[in-house]
Amino acid sequence: MEFAFYRKLIENNRKWVEQKLGEDPEFFQKLADGQQPPVLWIGCADSRVPANEIIGAQPGEVFVHRNIANMVVPTDMNMLSVLDYAVNVLKVRHVIVCGHYGCGGVKAAMTNSSFGIIDNWIRHIKDVYRFHKSELENIADEDTRFNRFVELNVQEQVKDLAKTAIVQNAWNKGQQLHLHGWVYGVGSGIIKDLEVNFNDNSSLDEVYKLKF
Ligand code: CO
């Protein structure tokens, strides 16, 4: 059963190539020339949130980084390398942090359960809970509280992006770079824009503003 599914993935690929070539015989040749995506997407690794598909983006249009619970952890070399390349080499204009309702990582952070090594990753999300404890604990309904926690986590990750030297350096050089926070509804397919936008570091707490 599982093996049949695996084989089907290669078949799907062949069909997809045929379809793309049917639409545009030069589709892959054009992509082979390089990429200049205007957007960096930082999303959750969750299988229900495929970045390109939910925003109708074609190959070449979105640079993607995904991890558990769409986190921007400032010591994460993987995220920093993706961000640095996207901002300084590809010169993306937008960075979108996209969380999603029903996120298992965020849910885990609300509980006291231990899942192994991932507890150390989840720890960062628990910090978000601590920052917003009074708001969250004033929400009686657990699902509503969970949804709000998902939103607050995205908001904090956008802020954490704004705090990075990579992003502040780009702003300092006059580069156009807009940060956004979205939440995707896995049960609706709809994206909610949280309107937590950053175009410069002026709204950051003083201690986070870097001078170059
Ligand atoms: Co998730």
Coordinates of all heavy atoms in Angstrom, one line a residue, residues 64-111:
V64 N 11.2 29.4 -0.1 CA 10.5 28.8 1.0 C 11.4 28.2 2.1 O 12.3 27.6 1.8 CB 9.5 27.7 0.5 CG1 8.9 27.0 1.7 CG2 8.5 28.2 -0.5
H65 N 11.0 28.6 3.3 CA 11.6 27.9 4.5 C 10.5 27.5 5.4 O 9.6 28.2 5.7 CB 12.5 28.9 5.3 CG 13.1 28.4 6.5 ND1 14.2 27.5 6.5 CD2 12.8 28.5 7.8 CE1 14.5 27.2 7.7 NE2 13.7 27.8 8.5
R66 N 10.6 26.2 5.8 CA 9.5 25.7 6.7 C 10.1 24.9 7.8 O 11.1 24.2 7.7 CB 8.6 24.7 5.9 CG 7.7 25.5 4.8 CD 7.0 24.6 3.9 NE 5.9 23.8 4.5 CZ 5.1 23.0 3.8 NH1 5.3 22.8 2.5 NH2 4.2 22.3 4.5
N67 N 9.6 25.1 9.0 CA 10.0 24.3 10.1 C 8.7 24.1 11.0 O 7.7 24.6 10.7 CB 11.1 25.0 10.9 CG 10.8 26.4 11.4 OD1 9.6 26.6 11.9 ND2 11.7 27.3 11.3
I68 N 8.9 23.4 12.1 CA 7.8 23.2 13.0 C 7.3 24.5 13.7 O 8.1 25.2 14.3 CB 8.1 22.1 14.1 CG1 8.2 20.8 13.4 CG2 7.1 22.1 15.2 CD1 8.7 19.6 14.2
A69 N 6.1 24.9 13.4 CA 5.4 26.1 14.0 C 6.0 27.4 13.4 O 5.9 28.4 14.1 CB 5.4 26.0 15.5
N70 N 6.5 27.4 12.2 CA 7.0 28.6 11.5 C 7.7 29.6 12.4 O 7.4 30.7 12.6 CB 5.8 29.3 10.8 CG 4.5 29.3 11.7 OD1 3.7 28.4 11.6 ND2 4.3 30.3 12.6
M71 N 8.8 29.1 13.0 CA 9.6 29.8 14.0 C 10.7 30.6 13.4 O 11.4 30.1 12.4 CB 10.1 28.9 15.1 CG 9.0 28.1 15.9 SD 7.9 29.2 16.7 CE 9.0 29.8 18.0
V72 N 11.0 31.8 14.0 CA 12.2 32.6 13.6 C 13.0 32.6 14.9 O 12.9 33.4 15.7 CB 11.8 34.0 13.2 CG1 13.0 34.8 12.9 CG2 10.9 33.9 11.9
V73 N 13.9 31.6 15.0 CA 14.8 31.4 16.1 C 16.1 32.0 15.8 O 16.8 31.6 14.8 CB 14.9 30.0 16.6 CG1 15.9 29.8 17.7 CG2 13.5 29.4 16.9
P74 N 16.6 33.1 16.5 CA 17.8 33.8 16.0 C 19.1 33.1 16.1 O 20.1 33.6 15.6 CB 17.8 35.0 17.0 CG 17.1 34.6 18.2 CD 16.0 33.6 17.7
T75 N 19.1 31.9 16.6 CA 20.4 31.1 16.6 C 20.2 29.9 15.6 O 21.1 29.1 15.5 CB 20.7 30.5 17.9 OG1 19.5 29.8 18.4 CG2 21.1 31.5 18.9
D76 N 19.1 29.9 14.8 CA 18.9 28.8 13.8 C 19.6 29.1 12.5 O 19.2 30.0 11.8 CB 17.4 28.7 13.6 CG 17.0 27.7 12.5 OD1 17.9 27.0 12.0 OD2 15.8 27.6 12.2
M77 N 20.8 28.5 12.3 CA 21.6 28.7 11.1 C 20.9 28.5 9.8 O 21.2 29.1 8.8 CB 22.9 27.9 11.2 CG 24.0 28.5 12.0 SD 24.4 30.2 11.5 CE 25.2 29.8 9.9
N78 N 20.0 27.5 9.9 CA 19.2 27.2 8.7 C 18.3 28.4 8.3 O 18.4 28.9 7.2 CB 18.4 25.9 9.0 CG 17.7 25.4 7.8 OD1 17.7 26.0 6.7 ND2 17.0 24.2 7.9
M79 N 17.5 28.8 9.2 CA 16.7 30.0 9.0 C 17.5 31.2 8.6 O 17.2 31.9 7.6 CB 15.8 30.3 10.2 CG 14.8 31.4 10.1 SD 15.5 33.1 10.3 CE 16.1 33.0 12.0
L80 N 18.6 31.5 9.3 CA 19.4 32.7 9.1 C 20.0 32.6 7.7 O 20.1 33.6 7.0 CB 20.5 32.8 10.1 CG 20.1 33.2 11.5 CD1 21.2 33.1 12.5 CD2 19.5 34.6 11.6
S81 N 20.4 31.4 7.2 CA 21.1 31.2 5.9 C 20.0 31.5 4.8 O 20.3 32.2 3.8 CB 21.7 29.8 5.8 OG 22.6 29.6 6.8
V82 N 18.8 31.0 5.0 CA 17.8 31.2 4.0 C 17.4 32.7 4.0 O 17.3 33.3 2.9 CB 16.5 30.4 4.4 CG1 15.3 30.8 3.6 CG2 16.8 28.9 4.2
L83 N 17.3 33.3 5.2 CA 16.9 34.7 5.2 C 18.0 35.6 4.6 O 17.7 36.5 3.8 CB 16.7 35.1 6.7 CG 16.3 36.6 7.0 CD1 15.0 36.9 6.4 CD2 16.3 36.8 8.5
D84 N 19.3 35.3 4.9 CA 20.4 36.1 4.4 C 20.4 36.0 2.8 O 20.6 37.0 2.1 CB 21.7 35.6 5.0 CG 22.9 36.5 4.5 OD1 22.8 37.7 4.7 OD2 23.9 36.0 4.1
Y85 N 20.3 34.8 2.3 CA 20.3 34.6 0.9 C 19.1 35.3 0.2 O 19.3 35.9 -0.8 CB 20.3 33.1 0.6 CG 20.6 32.8 -0.9 CD1 21.9 32.9 -1.4 CD2 19.6 32.4 -1.8 CE1 22.2 32.7 -2.7 CE2 19.9 32.2 -3.1 CZ 21.2 32.3 -3.6 OH 21.4 32.1 -4.9
A86 N 18.0 35.1 0.8 CA 16.7 35.7 0.3 C 16.8 37.3 0.2 O 16.5 37.9 -0.8 CB 15.5 35.3 1.1
V87 N 17.4 37.8 1.3 CA 17.4 39.3 1.4 C 18.6 39.9 0.7 O 18.4 40.9 -0.1 CB 17.4 39.7 2.9 CG1 17.7 41.2 3.1 CG2 16.1 39.4 3.6
N88 N 19.7 39.3 0.8 CA 20.9 39.9 0.3 C 21.3 39.5 -1.1 O 22.1 40.2 -1.8 CB 22.1 39.7 1.3 CG 21.9 40.5 2.5 OD1 21.5 41.7 2.5 ND2 22.1 39.9 3.7
V89 N 20.9 38.3 -1.5 CA 21.3 37.8 -2.9 C 20.0 37.9 -3.8 O 20.1 38.5 -4.8 CB 21.9 36.4 -2.8 CG1 22.2 36.0 -4.3 CG2 23.1 36.4 -1.9
L90 N 18.9 37.3 -3.4 CA 17.7 37.3 -4.2 C 17.0 38.6 -4.2 O 16.2 39.0 -5.1 CB 16.8 36.2 -3.8 CG 17.3 34.8 -3.9 CD1 16.3 33.8 -3.3 CD2 17.6 34.4 -5.4
K91 N 17.3 39.4 -3.1 CA 16.6 40.7 -2.9 C 15.1 40.6 -2.9 O 14.4 41.4 -3.7 CB 17.1 41.7 -3.9 CG 18.6 41.9 -4.0 CD 19.0 43.2 -3.1 CE 20.4 43.6 -3.3 NZ 21.5 42.8 -2.9
V92 N 14.5 39.7 -2.1 CA 13.1 39.6 -2.0 C 12.5 40.9 -1.5 O 13.2 41.6 -0.7 CB 12.6 38.4 -1.1 CG1 13.1 37.1 -1.7 CG2 13.1 38.6 0.3
R93 N 11.3 41.3 -1.8 CA 10.7 42.5 -1.3 C 9.8 42.2 -0.1 O 9.5 43.1 0.7 CB 9.8 43.1 -2.4 CG 10.5 43.4 -3.7 CD 11.5 44.6 -3.5 NE 10.8 45.8 -3.3 CZ 10.5 46.7 -4.3 NH1 10.8 46.4 -5.6 NH2 9.8 47.8 -4.1
H94 N 9.3 41.0 0.0 CA 8.4 40.6 1.1 C 8.8 39.4 1.8 O 9.3 38.4 1.2 CB 7.0 40.4 0.5 CG 6.4 41.5 -0.2 ND1 5.8 42.6 0.4 CD2 6.5 41.8 -1.5 CE1 5.4 43.4 -0.5 NE2 5.8 43.0 -1.7
V95 N 8.7 39.4 3.1 CA 8.9 38.1 3.9 C 7.6 37.9 4.6 O 7.1 38.8 5.3 CB 10.0 38.2 4.9 CG1 10.2 36.9 5.6 CG2 11.3 38.7 4.3
I96 N 7.0 36.7 4.4 CA 5.7 36.4 5.0 C 6.0 35.2 6.0 O 6.5 34.2 5.6 CB 4.7 35.9 3.9 CG1 4.4 37.0 2.9 CG2 3.4 35.4 4.6 CD1 3.8 36.5 1.6
V97 N 5.6 35.5 7.3 CA 5.5 34.4 8.2 C 4.1 33.9 8.2 O 3.1 34.7 8.5 CB 5.9 34.8 9.6 CG1 5.7 33.7 10.6 CG2 7.3 35.3 9.7
C98 N 3.9 32.6 7.8 CA 2.5 32.1 7.7 C 2.3 30.9 8.7 O 2.9 29.9 8.5 CB 2.2 31.7 6.3 SG 0.4 31.2 6.1
G99 N 1.6 31.2 9.7 CA 1.2 30.1 10.7 C -0.1 29.5 10.2 O -0.6 29.8 9.1
H100 N -0.6 28.6 11.0 CA -1.9 28.0 10.6 C -2.7 27.6 11.9 O -2.1 27.1 12.9 CB -1.7 26.8 9.7 CG -1.0 25.7 10.3 ND1 -1.7 24.5 10.8 CD2 0.3 25.5 10.6 CE1 -0.8 23.7 11.3 NE2 0.4 24.2 11.2
Y101 N -4.0 27.7 11.8 CA -4.8 27.2 12.9 C -4.7 25.7 13.0 O -4.4 25.1 12.0 CB -6.3 27.7 12.7 CG -6.5 29.2 12.7 CD1 -6.9 29.8 11.6 CD2 -6.2 29.9 13.9 CE1 -7.0 31.2 11.6 CE2 -6.3 31.3 13.9 CZ -6.7 31.9 12.7 OH -6.8 33.3 12.7
G102 N -4.8 25.2 14.2 CA -4.6 23.8 14.4 C -3.2 23.3 14.4 O -2.9 22.1 14.2
C103 N -2.2 24.2 14.6 CA -0.8 23.9 14.5 C -0.4 23.0 15.7 O -0.6 23.4 16.9 CB 0.0 25.1 14.5 SG 1.8 24.8 14.3
G104 N 0.1 21.8 15.4 CA 0.5 20.9 16.5 C 1.6 21.4 17.4 O 1.6 21.1 18.6
G105 N 2.5 22.1 16.8 CA 3.6 22.7 17.6 C 3.1 23.7 18.6 O 3.6 23.7 19.7
V106 N 2.2 24.5 18.1 CA 1.7 25.6 19.0 C 0.8 24.9 20.1 O 0.9 25.3 21.3 CB 0.9 26.6 18.2 CG1 0.2 27.6 19.1 CG2 1.8 27.3 17.2
K107 N 0.1 23.9 19.7 CA -0.8 23.2 20.7 C 0.1 22.6 21.8 O -0.2 22.7 23.0 CB -1.6 22.1 19.9 CG -2.5 21.3 20.8 CD -3.8 22.1 21.1 CE -4.7 21.4 22.1 NZ -5.9 22.2 22.4
A108 N 1.2 21.9 21.3 CA 2.1 21.3 22.3 C 2.6 22.3 23.3 O 2.8 21.9 24.5 CB 3.2 20.6 21.5
A109 N 2.9 23.5 22.8 CA 3.4 24.5 23.7 C 2.4 25.0 24.8 O 2.8 25.5 25.8 CB 3.9 25.8 22.9
M110 N 1.1 24.7 24.6 CA 0.1 25.0 25.6 C 0.0 24.0 26.7 O -0.7 24.2 27.6 CB -1.3 25.2 24.9 CG -1.4 26.4 24.0 SD -3.0 26.3 23.2 CE -4.2 26.5 24.5
T111 N 0.6 22.8 26.4 CA 0.4 21.7 27.3 C 1.7 21.4 28.1 O 2.8 22.1 27.8 CB 0.1 20.4 26.6 OG1 1.2 19.9 25.9 CG2 -1.1 20.7 25.6

